[in-house]
Amino acid sequence: MFGLQNLSRLNVIFGFLCLVGTGICNFWGVHSLPQASSRAARLCLAHLIPMFFASGYEFGARILGISLQGYGAIHCIFGILAMLEALVHVLIIACTRNITMSDDLQLYGVLSASMLLALMILPLVKKRVYEVFLRTHQACAFVMIYTIWRHTHSFHAKSWLYTIIYISTLTVTGIVQLARILFRNIALGKGSVQLTLKRHGDAAQLTLELPRAWKVRAGERLMLGVLCVGLMYLFQAHPFTIAWWEENQIDQTILVSLLLRPRSGFTRKLLERLEVNQKCRAWVDGPFGPCSVHPLGISSDVGDYGHLLLIATGIGIATQLPYIKEILEGHRLARVRTRRIALVWQLDRPGDWESAHEWLQKLVAQDDGYLLHVTVYDKTKSPHINDPKRLGHHGLIEVYGGSVDWDEQLSSEVKHQSGKLLVAEQKSEIHNMSPKDSGPRNSRRALWRSKCRERMAQHIYEELGLKIHPSHVRLKSNGEDIEYTWKILDQSLLPLFQRHLSKHSIGAYKRLYSEIGKAFYVIKKPGTEQTVESPCHSDFEDIGNVPLESPFGPLESERSQIAYQLEEAKRNAGTEHEKRILEEAKVHNLMKRLQEAQNMIQYRQEEIKQWMMIAEYYQSSSARCSNSLQEVITLLHRVYSDITFVP
């Protein structure tokens, strides 16, 4: 209700300490109800100071250098404490005095408490009508400042100073923010921010030309306002994640790109009013985030992880591309420890691929160290026998049809884990999968699931000659077009075969892995039998119903086997060809880097020769100077001797 659902451990500890400290202040040195009422009122006014630090969360968090969630938690914690203190103050006054609205002091006190209560209730409608909530919230805050001033200036000595602090703080931070906005958006001779729209299906790409260069980091966002959308949206700013940026020669950002899919309100109006490739004026405030402080304390940089698994669906790719761009640049400058980046992107709607494929191909071309491994799944297309299709620089982007098997992807990355693993989804909720953290159980489960699938796929191939990819192995075959089922000898295993393979625990995977071929085994799936058989089912058939064996049966079987082997050989040949192309690309890149290194060595050698010649010149010059100086000294000694012996 009050925005506390995302509190971190540090926020909870901070809130608890504030609550304890406030409780102590309520009772320390208080000997009567009037004193308790006055103390609660002063504590309420003091707790309101952080709430008027800035007019918005983003700018306040930026000034303090903390996360947006952290600043929001501070705002909510102090708001709740102020509300509790106001409640104590009102209850004591109600018990000791008669409240009448004819008294200005009590009237403005009730109005102040009402405004504070309204500020606590308004977040309930925040997600539904954000702009209405924001403006109403700000209006109630200013009304509360006025009513507090009217309530305190004539009665409580020096309490009116709190209202001066509120107004002064808001004024100073507001002026700083306004100056920042003007500086970002206006440059002499360069005009203002220009916005260009590109559409890809129902997704849109916004490109902002900045009059002043910025320095952008991955994970940052900005507040955008567009002048041509409408009068009601003139002073509205909406947050967008920075999906891409282009830099000038001195590594300063001059172009910023955003990805969005219209919903309602501002984004819908924006796409209705703007034409494709039409330029219009806009204004921005930012960038905001990320901060240097993690919800649990000081956070290590993403580049400190050796292995990154980045997951995105749809236009959620916009949150992952900046991190890849930053990591690759850091790797080029030898500033990161990352050795592998695996990006898994599932396309949900038409236009998802077109909205970001150019940026993705630039990243693949930029990856001279072959850190980046890109796998794309197109949900709008069915899987094909020729999958994957290879796109981009040297065909390093693999595109499959169908949906992603997330369990299989995680299992594969865990098997090839290189250093500390970080898994990040499209909403930037990061989960640490390092062996020392709570995530290892998930990684062990994924590893055993992968081993179990591989063992069962191998068993199917050995028993029936069916080559099945491990990710396609099934325990339940009801209603599925598969050619095998399982013969169960141990009745205690029956519950395992009534669930999907991906739903089991580590213990179940271990048991399936060890018992296959002993307690259960694979058989051909008859057309009239059930998926899972038990020992009580009869294994005998009516011999009279068995058709005569065709004399060409062995030949047909041999032909099918040869055709399968031929297809397998073709597939292996294609795989080897792709591997050869990839290796040739790596060799070409290494040769290029070697040539650059040799050129640099030759250049340095020439520089060394030049410096040696300069050193020899200065050495000979110093020798001549030394000889000349020695002659001068000898001459001076001689002159001095002559002068000494003059009578």
Side-chain angles (χ1 to χ4, degrees):
M1 174 179 177
F2 300 111
L4 301 178
Q5 61 273 19
N6 295 322
L7 283 181
S8 67
R9 188 183 308 169
L10 186 63
N11 298 145
V12 172
I13 294 174
F14 176 76
F16 177 75
L17 293 177
C18 289
L19 181 62
V20 172
T22 302
I24 293 174
C25 292
N26 271 286
F27 294 99
W28 188 272
V30 174
H31 305 289
S32 63
L33 284 179
Q35 288 182 344
S37 174
S38 178
R39 179 68 60 84
R42 291 178 183 274
L43 288 174
C44 175
L45 296 176
H47 282 115
L48 289 176
I49 293 177
M51 300 182 67
F52 291 101
F53 179 73
S55 60
Y57 280 15
E58 292 279 13
F59 191 67
R62 186 74 175 188
I63 293 177
L64 297 178
I66 61 178
S67 68
L68 183 65
Q69 292 78 10
Y71 185 84
I74 292 174
H75 193 84
C76 292
I77 289 170
F78 279 100
I80 292 174
L81 292 177
M83 184 66 195
L84 293 176
E85 294 296 335
L87 181 62
V88 172
H89 176 68
V90 171
L91 289 177
I92 294 176
I93 293 296
C95 293
T96 57
R97 302 180 188 178
N98 293 324
I99 298 179
T100 173
M101 295 297 102
S102 60
D103 186 353
D104 288 346
L105 180 66
Q106 295 184 359
L107 173 63
Y108 286 110
V110 171
L111 290 177
S112 300
S114 301
M115 290 298 103
L116 184 56
L117 181 62
L119 291 174
M120 302 300 293
I121 295 176
L122 279 173
L124 293 174
V125 299
K126 180 178 180 179
K127 291 184 178 180
R128 296 182 179 274
V129 281
Y130 177 76
E131 288 298 330
V132 174
F133 154 77
L134 181 62
R135 304 310 171 197
T136 307
H137 194 82
Q138 293 172 344
C140 289
F142 284 110
V143 171
M144 186 176 68
I145 292 177
Y146 173 74
T147 55
I148 288 175
W149 175 72
R150 291 297 304 269
H151 179 66
T152 59
H153 82 286
S154 61
F155 183 79
H156 296 283
K158 298 184 179 180
S159 293
W160 57 272
L161 291 176
Y162 286 103
T163 58
I164 302 299
I165 295 174
Y166 304 154
I167 296 173
S168 301
T169 305
L170 277 176
T171 302
V172 171
T173 56
I175 291 174
V176 173
Q177 185 175 8
L178 179 60
R180 185 172 186 255
I181 293 174
L182 294 176
F183 178 79
R184 292 292 192 200
N185 290 272
I186 300 176
L188 296 177
K190 295 184 179 180
S192 59
V193 178
Q194 297 292 322
L195 181 145
T196 306
L197 170 68
K198 293 182 180 179
R199 303 200 65 165
H200 305 284
D202 62 346
Q205 182 185 121
L206 303 180
T207 302
L208 302 173
E209 299 179 20
L210 306 177
R212 294 185 186 273
W214 296 0
K215 185 64 178 177
V216 176
R217 286 188 57 198
E220 288 186 329
R221 55 196 173 272
L222 54 78
M223 306 295 289
L224 173 66
V226 183
L227 306 181
C228 61
V229 173
L231 185 61
M232 292 183 60
Y233 298 94
L234 182 61
F235 298 104
Q236 290 185 14
H238 298 262
F240 292 93
T241 299
I242 298 176
W244 189 260
W245 63 91
E246 298 288 347
E247 298 175 337
N248 56 17
Q249 296 179 351
I250 57 176
D251 296 334
Q252 289 184 326
T253 303
I254 55 176
L255 284 177
V256 169
S257 296
L258 317 172
L259 275 184
L260 62 92
R261 177 165 279 124
R263 295 183 179 179
S264 60
F266 176 75
T267 53
R268 182 174 56 83
K269 288 282 187 181
L270 178 64
L271 297 190
E272 288 177 355
R273 298 291 178 88
L274 291 184
E275 298 291 337
V276 176
N277 295 326
Q278 173 192 354
K279 288 189 176 182
C280 70
R281 291 184 179 181
W283 66 274
V284 295
D285 185 15
F288 299 109
C291 69
S292 58
V293 180
H294 191 266
L296 296 180
I298 301 301
S299 172
S300 58
D301 191 75
V302 176
D304 291 338
Y305 291 85
H307 192 155
L308 302 180
L309 173 57
L310 307 180
I311 298 171
T313 59
I315 62 171
I317 189 69
T319 63
Q320 307 293 18
L321 293 179
Y323 287 99
I324 300 175
K325 181 180 176 70
E326 196 168 85
I327 290 295
L328 293 180
E329 180 65 20
H331 181 266
R332 185 180 68 85
L333 301 175
R335 294 177 179 174
V336 298
R337 301 176 183 176
T338 306
R339 298 188 293 275
R340 178 180 173 86
I341 306 173
L343 173 64
V344 183
W345 181 21
Q346 178 173 286
L347 309 178
D348 290 336
R349 304 184 189 180
D352 288 345
W353 170 255
E354 290 77 9
S355 65
H357 77 281
E358 293 183 0
W359 301 333
L360 194 58
Q361 291 177 352
K362 287 182 180 180
L363 291 176
V364 174
Q366 179 186 345
D367 180 25
D368 55 0
Y370 290 90
L371 275 71
L372 182 59
H373 303 265
V374 181
T375 307
V376 180
Y377 287 85
D378 191 349
K379 194 176 179 180
T380 62
K381 297 181 180 179
S382 301
H384 194 271
I385 191 172
N386 294 326
D387 287 345
K389 298 177 183 177
R390 296 189 175 273
L391 304 174
H393 186 70
H394 293 305
L396 297 178
I397 302 176
E398 297 181 350
V399 181
Y400 294 84
S403 300
V404 186
D405 187 339
W406 299 112
D407 292 334
E408 182 65 24
Q409 291 292 332
L410 180 59
S411 302
S412 176
E413 293 304 320
V414 170
K415 287 174 60 179
H416 299 90
Q417 184 170 342
S418 177
K420 201 174 183 181
L421 176 63
L422 187 73
V423 182
E425 66 163 342
Q426 65 189 56
K427 294 182 180 179
S428 301
E429 296 174 1
I430 297 176
H431 310 280
N432 194 343
M433 298 290 291
S434 132
K436 295 184 179 179
D437 299 317
S438 60
R441 179 167 181 84
N442 290 330
S443 61
R444 291 198 304 271
R445 180 172 175 268
L447 180 60
W448 271 103
R449 179 172 56 246
S450 178
K451 292 175 64 176
C452 185
R453 286 183 181 275
E454 291 176 357
R455 179 70 184 91
M456 297 178 80
Q458 181 183 359
H459 175 74
I460 294 172
Y461 179 73
E462 292 173 352
E463 296 295 325
L464 304 179
L466 298 176
K467 191 171 182 63
I468 299 175
H469 193 275
S471 63
H472 296 157
V473 173
R474 300 289 184 266
L475 293 181
K476 300 173 64 176
S477 57
N478 302 61
E480 296 191 22
D481 187 18
I482 58 178
E483 303 178 21
Y484 62 90
T485 187
W486 300 98
K487 178 77 172 180
I488 303 174
L489 303 178
D490 187 349
Q491 291 292 321
S492 63
L493 291 175
L494 278 174
L496 299 182
F497 286 82
Q498 295 172 359
R499 300 179 61 188
H500 292 289
L501 186 57
S502 60
K503 304 296 184 181
H504 286 304
S505 62
I506 296 177
Y509 292 133
K510 289 183 177 180
R511 189 175 182 191
L512 291 172
Y513 183 86
S514 61
E515 296 292 340
I516 189 169
K518 303 174 185 177
F520 69 96
Y521 58 91
V522 70
I523 61 173
K524 276 283 187 179
K525 180 182 179 182
T528 58
E529 292 185 9
Q530 296 180 353
T531 302
V532 179
E533 298 182 357
S534 63
C536 62
H537 291 164
S538 175
D539 293 335
F540 299 98
E541 298 180 354
D542 187 359
I543 298 178
N545 294 330
V546 178
L548 294 176
E549 184 177 355
S550 172
F552 299 101
L555 295 178
E556 289 292 336
S557 176
E558 184 177 357
R559 186 185 66 82
S560 300
Q561 187 175 3
I562 292 174
Y564 174 78
Q565 292 176 353
L566 179 61
E567 184 67 27
E568 185 69 18
K570 289 181 179 179
R571 190 180 299 110
N572 292 336
T575 303
E576 293 298 328
H577 179 68
E578 293 171 356
K579 289 182 178 179
R580 183 174 61 82
I581 293 177
L582 183 60
E583 294 300 327
E584 288 178 354
K586 290 183 179 180
V587 170
H588 175 74
N589 184 62
L590 291 175
M591 292 295 294
K592 181 179 177 182
R593 295 173 66 181
L594 179 61
Q595 184 64 36
E596 292 176 354
Q598 290 176 347
N599 294 338
M600 182 60 68
I601 292 173
Q602 184 177 359
Y603 173 74
R604 296 301 182 190
Q605 287 177 345
E606 293 178 356
E607 278 192 338
I608 291 172
K609 290 180 181 179
Q610 293 179 358
W611 284 109
M612 289 180 64
M613 293 175 61
I614 294 173
E616 290 177 358
Y617 171 77
Y618 280 109
Q619 186 177 4
S620 60
S621 298
S622 62
R624 289 196 298 270
C625 291
S626 178
N627 293 334
S628 301
L629 183 61
Q630 187 65 34
E631 292 177 359
V632 171
I633 292 174
T634 304
L635 179 62
L636 290 176
H637 275 293
R638 189 179 302 166
V639 171
Y640 178 75
S641 300
D642 293 341
I643 294 174
T644 304
F645 289 102
V646 171

